[in-house]
């Protein structure tokens, strides 16, 4: 009985992964709004009722995609390591690496979220929560290096600078539109954070 239950759980997880993969490709290719559950069902080769049963709707699928990637990145631990660096410059370089990894692995999902938030109140609420969590993490970092901030840069200024430099639109401009490598973006971001925040 235990074996059967474990097998069913693995099958359910595999089905969800298949749905999420198909949905991610469709969301990125034709947009969140234009993608229907029927289209996801056809692409994933899984009946639409199964998709509704597994997730409930498009918003839940998008959340599952985002959380699945976020889990592999282990962002919270990475931020703690950045905060623990004795040299604030090294901590900011770690922060730049965190942003690079996030954008490298899930920029398409961030872009989908931004589109979806314009029409889906649940996703819009998610976006506000995500933005608040990001700002809280950045504020913790700036507060941790407050004694090292450049003259005239308050904690609030530091948070505003940090938030601006790590905007997804900046990554899009430099990497996707201008052809920078992710490594070049990371180095630029690290240098920009250090130059703007520290003496």
């Amino acid at each position: 009985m235990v074996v059967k239950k474990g097998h069913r759980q693995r099958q359910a997880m595999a089905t969800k992964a298949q749905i999420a993969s198909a949905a991610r490709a469709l969301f990125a290719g034709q947009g969140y709004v234009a993608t229907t559950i029927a289209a996801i069902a056809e692409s994933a080769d899984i009946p639409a009722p199964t998709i509704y049963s597994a997730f409930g709707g498009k918003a839940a699928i998008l959340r599952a995609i985002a959380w699945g990637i976020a889990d592999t990145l282990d962002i919270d631990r990475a931020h703690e390591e950045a905060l623990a660096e004795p040299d604030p410059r090294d901590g900011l370089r770690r922060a730049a690496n965190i942003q690079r990894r996030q954008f490298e692995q899930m920029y398409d999902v961030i872009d989908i979220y931004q589109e979806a938030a314009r029409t889906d109140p649940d996703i819009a609420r998610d976006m506000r929560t995500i933005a608040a969590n990001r700002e809280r993490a950045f504020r913790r970092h700036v507060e941790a290096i407050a004694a090292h901030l450049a003259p005239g840069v308050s904690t609030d200024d530091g948070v505003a600078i940090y938030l601006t430099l790590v905007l997804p639109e900046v990554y899009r401009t430099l990497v996707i539109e201008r052809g920078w490598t992710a490594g070049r973006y990371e180095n630029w971001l690290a240098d920009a954070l250090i130059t703007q925040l520290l003496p």
Side-chain angles (χ1 to χ4, degrees), residues 76-98 140-148 162 186 190 194 198:
D76 290 341
R77 182 187 56 78
H79 275 298
E80 291 302 325
E81 289 175 353
L83 286 173
E85 287 285 355
D87 187 331
R89 287 167 179 75
D90 292 337
L92 290 172
R93 292 199 178 280
R94 275 188 180 267
N97 178 258
I98 295 168
R140 277 192 70 211
H141 195 152
V142 173
E143 286 174 349
I145 61 172
H148 303 279
Y162 202 134
E186 180 183 337
I194 291 166
L198 305 179

Side-chain angles (χ1 to χ4, degrees), residues 128-181:
R128 289 193 293 273
T129 300
I130 291 165
N133 289 341
R134 276 170 64 81
E135 180 165 350
R136 200 156 34 245
F138 301 156
R139 182 170 292 279
R140 277 192 70 211
H141 195 152
V142 173
E143 286 174 349
I145 61 172
H148 303 279
L149 292 175
V153 177
S154 67
T155 300
D156 285 344
D157 291 339
V159 173
I161 291 165
Y162 202 134
L163 282 168
T164 302
L165 289 173
V166 299
L167 282 170
E169 290 79 5
V170 174
Y171 178 86
R172 178 183 182 86
T173 298
L174 296 177
V175 177
I176 296 171
E177 295 175 1
R178 299 292 173 175
W180 283 24
T181 63

Side-chain angles (χ1 to χ4, degrees), residues 99-111:
Q99 293 306 311
R100 176 249 181 102
R101 289 190 299 115
Q102 277 187 291
F103 287 139
E104 208 171 17
Q105 294 189 40
M106 63 185 299
Y107 178 80
D108 64 319
V109 177
I110 294 167
D111 201 34

